[in-house]
């Protein structure tokens, strides 16, 4: 089961007072016209802020200033009444956090898919159409994947059959296969290309084991980079006063757990691939 991220509950408990306790939290004097306030005149004290039940930060209703945490930040224009300055709500913060989490999981799933695709392209001594997944063919001046311009099948356990949709591409396909690192010799009869998949030598098995280990390590590095990017996104929310330090610590812990889960997935498919290589 995938790791669930921690909710931002501490935000609500720290920043939001009890419901139905709608009240003014501060007031200030303001003068209009640019001149000093007359001492004999009643200063214009304006209650500018109230807690809302869904607000994670204080929001101001007269537009003269905005509040972040406990600080008052001046607005560009102090003489415009009627403007409403609203800070982020709990729901909006949760939405931002949810987008980060979805992006993390989507990118990690894609990383696993890439590792699997790379593993499938490593030949193991048994015919498998996925062995040709990485081959690109120069087709009408543009590189395209072999599987997009030809049907690939496995007549038996030791051969592959490549039947192009356009016979004029046979030469280009043959050239691409020869140039690949598969070590296969294509047999072009003018209609299809046949590939015999020889058994692997012990030396070649060792070489391929190192190749898949390197691909697995690259996948792990990619997962850690995804975690790093997510942490930066959370730190920005903290900097913007949308998450507390404790929230970021909890989320960092969740990210590490999720990263560890996906690293274990890579280790599992690596172990399976090594087993296949050594078995044939």
């Amino acid at each position: 089961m995938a790791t669930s991220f921690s909710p931002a509950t501490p935000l609500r408990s720290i920043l939001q007072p009890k419901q139905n306790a709608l009240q003014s939290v501060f007031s200030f004097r303001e003068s209009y016209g640019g001149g000093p306030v007359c001492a004999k005149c009643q200063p214009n004290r304006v209650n500018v802020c109230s807690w809302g039940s869904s607000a994670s930060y204080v929001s101001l209703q007269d537009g003269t200033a905005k509040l972040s945490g406990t600080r008052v930040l001046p607005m560009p224009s102090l003489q415009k009444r009627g403007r409403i300055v609203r800070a982020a709500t709990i729901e909006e913060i949760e939405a931002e956090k949810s987008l980060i989490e979805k992006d993390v999981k989507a990118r990690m799933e894609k990383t696993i898919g890439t590792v699997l695709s790379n593993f499938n392209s490593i030949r193991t001594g048994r015919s498998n159409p996925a062995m040709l997944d990485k081959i690109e063919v120069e087709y009408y001046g543009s590189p395209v994947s072999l599987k997009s311009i030809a049907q690939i099948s496995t007549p038996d356990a030791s051969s592959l059959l490549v039947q192009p949709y356009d016979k004029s591409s046979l030469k280009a396909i043959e050239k691409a296969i020869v140039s690949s690192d598969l070590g296969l010799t294509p047999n072009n009869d003018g209609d299809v290309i046949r590939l015999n998949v020889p058994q692997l030598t012990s030396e070649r098995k060792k070489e391929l084991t190192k190749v898949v280990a390197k691909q697995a390590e690259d996948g792990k590095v990619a997962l850690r980079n995804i975690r790093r990017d997510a942490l930066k996104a959370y730190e920005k929310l903290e900097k913007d006063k949308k998450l507390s330090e404790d929230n970021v610590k909890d989320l960092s812990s969740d990210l590490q757990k999720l990263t560890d889960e996906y690293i274990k997935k890579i280790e599992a498919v690596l172990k399976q691939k090594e087993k296949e290589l050594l078995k044939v």
Side-chain angles (χ1 to χ4, degrees):
M1 180 177 291
T3 299
S4 298
F5 285 80
S6 300
T9 305
L11 272 174
R12 189 182 296 274
S13 60
I14 293 172
L15 298 175
Q16 183 176 306
K18 296 179 180 179
Q19 292 186 3
N20 301 324
L22 199 62
Q23 58 181 335
S24 299
V25 296
F26 79 101
S27 62
F28 67 92
R29 292 182 297 177
E30 61 180 346
S31 63
Y32 296 90
V37 178
C38 176
K40 295 182 181 180
C41 299
Q42 287 292 335
N44 182 16
R45 298 183 67 86
V46 183
N47 290 327
V48 297
C49 180
S50 299
W51 286 106
S53 62
S54 65
S56 57
Y57 288 87
V58 178
S59 59
L60 305 181
Q61 300 302 315
D62 76 332
T64 60
K66 68 178 180 179
L67 193 66
S68 177
T70 58
R71 296 180 301 162
V72 179
L73 305 178
M75 293 297 290
S77 174
L78 295 178
Q79 297 187 8
K80 291 182 179 180
R81 289 182 175 274
R83 287 183 60 186
I84 296 177
V85 180
R86 182 180 58 78
T89 65
I90 290 290
E91 288 74 14
E92 289 168 339
I93 293 171
E94 285 294 336
E96 287 186 68
K97 190 165 69 67
S98 178
L99 283 176
I100 296 172
E101 293 163 8
K102 288 179 180 178
D103 179 65
V104 166
K105 291 179 180 179
R107 290 175 64 190
M108 287 190 175
E109 283 293 337
K110 186 176 180 180
T111 298
I112 295 294
T114 299
V115 172
L116 286 172
S117 177
N118 289 337
F119 283 1
N120 288 336
S121 67
I122 301 293
R123 78 179 180 92
T124 60
R126 292 181 62 85
S127 59
N128 182 351
M131 292 167 56
L132 305 181
D133 280 355
K134 297 297 181 180
I135 293 182
E136 290 193 337
V137 181
E138 194 72 19
Y139 187 61
Y140 288 102
S142 300
V144 297
S145 65
L146 173 57
K147 61 183 180 181
S148 70
I149 61 171
Q151 180 179 348
I152 305 170
S153 58
T154 54
D156 52 61
S158 61
S159 65
L160 288 169
L161 188 66
V162 180
Q163 186 171 8
Y165 303 125
D166 177 7
K167 289 185 180 181
S168 67
S169 64
L170 273 170
K171 286 289 185 182
I173 292 174
E174 182 179 6
K175 182 180 178 180
I177 294 173
V178 171
S179 301
S180 71
D181 59 357
L182 289 174
L184 300 177
T185 302
N187 180 14
N188 182 356
D189 66 5
D191 289 316
V192 296
I193 291 177
R194 289 181 173 82
L195 299 168
N196 290 320
V197 183
Q199 291 295 311
L200 296 175
T201 63
S202 296
E203 191 63 30
R204 183 57 176 162
K205 289 178 182 179
K206 291 178 182 178
E207 291 176 4
L208 292 178
T209 299
K210 292 179 181 179
V211 170
V212 295
K214 175 64 167 56
Q215 292 174 343
E217 186 57 36
D218 290 344
K220 292 178 183 179
V221 171
L223 292 176
R224 295 185 185 106
N225 287 340
I226 294 169
R227 174 183 173 276
R228 178 201 62 198
D229 292 344
L231 282 176
K232 286 183 179 179
Y234 286 135
E235 287 167 1
K236 184 180 184 302
L237 290 179
E238 180 186 4
K239 184 178 179 181
D240 293 342
K241 307 299 182 183
K242 293 181 178 180
L243 291 177
S244 70
E245 183 179 351
D246 287 342
N247 289 146
V248 174
K249 285 182 179 179
D250 289 341
L251 291 167
S252 298
S253 177
D254 291 340
L255 272 173
Q256 187 59 58
K257 291 177 183 177
L258 187 67
T259 304
D260 291 342
E261 285 181 13
Y262 277 91
I263 285 177
K264 287 179 181 178
K265 289 182 181 181
I266 288 181
E267 290 173 346
V269 294
L270 171 61
K271 191 172 294 184
Q272 179 62 32
K273 188 64 179 181
E274 289 174 336
K275 184 178 179 181
E276 289 177 10
L277 287 170
L278 295 174
K279 183 179 179 180
V280 296

